[in-house]
Amino acid sequence: MKRMKILPLVLLFGVVLFSCEKDSTKEWQYKYGFTPQDVIGHFTYSGVSDAFEGLTESEYFHLCDDAIIDISSSGVNGLQFNIRCPKAAFTRSYTGQHNAGDDDFLIHIKASISPYAEEVTAYVYTNKSGKIRLHGYARESKVHIATLEHYYVNYYFDVIKN
C-alpha cells in the first residue's frame, strides 16, 4: 500500500528530470577579461538551437547562419575582424581596439567616429570545455536614395572558434 502512494511521486520526479532540455544559456557564459589571443582565429556557425531566438529576418535584419569570421591581430591589442555572410552577399572588415572596459566580455569595433559609422558588436562566450563563441551583429550603414536618410542593416551571427 505504501508503495502505491510513493510510485506516483517517483514517476512524476522521473518525468520532470528527464523532460528538461539542456539550456544553452547555462552552457555558455560570458568570457570576462578575454584577451586578443582568446578570439584570434577562424569561426563558423555555432549550431546552437536558440542562437537567433527572438530575431526575425527582414530587409534590415539578416540572420547569418552561414557566417564565416576570421579575427587576426592588428597592432597592440587591436583586432582585425573579417566577416562573410554568403547568403546575404555581405563581406566587411573592421579594424580597431576591442574596447575592453566595464563590458570586458564584448568586442565592439566602430569604423569611425561618424554617427553613421559601420560597426561590429560581439559578445564573447566560453563553455566548460574552453570553446569560444561569438554572438552579435555587423552593422552596415546605407542611405535611402529618394530621401537621403541614413539607415542601418544588421547581419546577426552566432559562431564558434574552430
Side-chain angles (χ1 to χ4, degrees):
M1 198 64 160
K2 286 184 180 179
R3 208 181 276 175
M4 293 301 282
K5 290 181 182 178
I6 295 175
L7 184 61
L9 289 174
V10 170
L11 290 174
L12 179 63
F13 179 72
V15 168
V16 170
L17 182 66
F18 290 107
S19 68
C20 295
E21 286 186 34
K22 190 173 185 181
D23 185 1
S24 66
T25 59
K26 292 181 182 175
E27 178 183 355
W28 294 96
Q29 304 296 321
Y30 288 137
K31 172 83 171 148
Y32 289 99
F34 73 91
T35 65
Q37 290 304 327
D38 292 327
V39 296
I40 289 174
H42 182 75
F43 294 78
T44 54
Y45 182 57
S46 69
V48 173
S49 62
D50 60 351
F52 300 116
E53 188 174 313
L55 298 173
T56 304
E57 196 154 28
S58 72
E59 66 180 295
Y60 303 107
F61 301 100
H62 296 279
L63 305 180
C64 299
D65 59 1
D66 62 344
I68 301 165
I69 294 175
D70 289 295
I71 300 177
S72 58
S73 180
S74 176
V76 178
N77 288 329
L79 297 174
Q80 177 157 349
F81 191 107
N82 301 309
I83 180 171
R84 286 186 302 137
C85 298
K87 285 193 290 189
F90 176 75
T91 301
R92 285 290 186 283
S93 290
Y94 304 87
T95 303
Q97 300 295 317
H98 62 77
N99 292 342
D102 291 339
D103 298 328
D104 65 350
F105 54 86
L106 185 68
I107 295 172
H108 182 242
I109 300 172
K110 200 166 183 178
S112 71
I113 59 171
S114 163
Y116 306 112
E118 295 189 357
E119 63 186 330
V120 65
T121 300
Y123 293 89
V124 180
Y125 294 96
T126 189
N127 64 7
K128 289 180 182 176
S129 63
K131 290 189 176 198
I132 298 293
R133 174 180 166 207
L134 303 178
H135 176 80
Y137 63 89
R139 177 172 281 172
E140 178 182 30
S141 177
K142 293 192 170 203
V143 177
H144 284 288
I145 295 172
T147 64
L148 298 179
E149 290 183 53
H150 285 271
Y151 68 99
Y152 294 104
V153 178
N154 291 341
Y155 299 86
Y156 291 91
F157 56 84
D158 195 286
V159 293
I160 290 181
K161 186 176 180 180
N162 298 322

